[in-house]
Amino acid sequence: MGVKRLSLMFGCALLGFAPTSFAAEMTDNPLLKESSLQYEYPHFDQIEDEHFGPAMEAGMAEQLKEIEQIANNPVPPTFLNTIVAMERSGRTLERASRVFFNLNLTDTTPKLQAVDQEFSPKLAAHSDA
């Protein structure tokens, strides 16, 4: 593990990772799982460049489903079941993109730059949607 990845891990410790309540789909992609580490630090030793694209795709799909459930809730809208629910949506996408963008900024590689070029417009369109 390189010095940059260790410094990124320390930076995540300073910023903290908010706990998530959504039970993410369990796969071999560590970005799709809630971390078992203290403060939910990412398992940097298990994360490969190839994990980011699928994790962000899955996270965007998951968040769209969550937003659809909020929009179609038959209960009259309240701050809690609308605004708070929207703020809590997209935990998988948040986890994957947070790790990706921090790693890409601190220890970039040509593979990470290619993922960035592919997913930046997708993430912008997702955010707009």
Side-chain angles (χ1 to χ4, degrees):
M1 184 176 306
V3 173
K4 290 182 181 179
R5 285 191 189 227
L6 286 173
S7 63
L8 176 60
M9 288 171 54
F10 179 72
C12 289
L14 292 176
L15 295 174
F17 277 21
T20 61
S21 59
F22 185 83
E25 175 184 336
M26 294 303 193
T27 68
D28 61 346
N29 187 330
L31 295 168
L32 294 177
K33 302 175 190 174
E34 292 183 9
S35 175
S36 59
L37 298 177
Q38 185 178 15
Y39 307 115
E40 294 189 32
Y41 292 134
H43 286 274
F44 286 102
D45 60 329
Q46 299 172 7
I47 297 171
E48 302 293 332
D49 293 344
E50 294 77 26
H51 291 142
F52 291 110
M56 288 191 280
E57 289 284 357
M60 287 186 285
E62 174 187 283
Q63 187 173 31
L64 288 177
K65 287 179 186 176
E66 293 168 341
I67 296 297
E68 184 177 324
Q69 288 175 346
I70 295 165
N72 295 322
N73 188 349
V75 177
T78 65
F79 185 80
L80 186 61
N81 72 10
T82 305
I83 304 301
V84 173
M86 288 176 68
E87 287 294 318
R88 289 184 176 166
S89 71
R91 296 297 188 203
T92 299
L93 178 58
E94 181 181 340
R95 177 176 45 251
S97 61
R98 181 183 300 156
V99 173
F100 171 74
F101 285 110
N102 280 299
L103 186 57
N104 190 38
L105 289 171
T106 60
D107 192 20
T108 195
T109 65
K111 285 183 181 179
L112 290 179
Q113 290 172 357
V115 171
D116 189 14
Q117 286 183 336
E118 177 184 351
F119 277 91
S120 287
K122 289 180 181 182
L123 292 169
H126 174 77
S127 179
D128 288 346

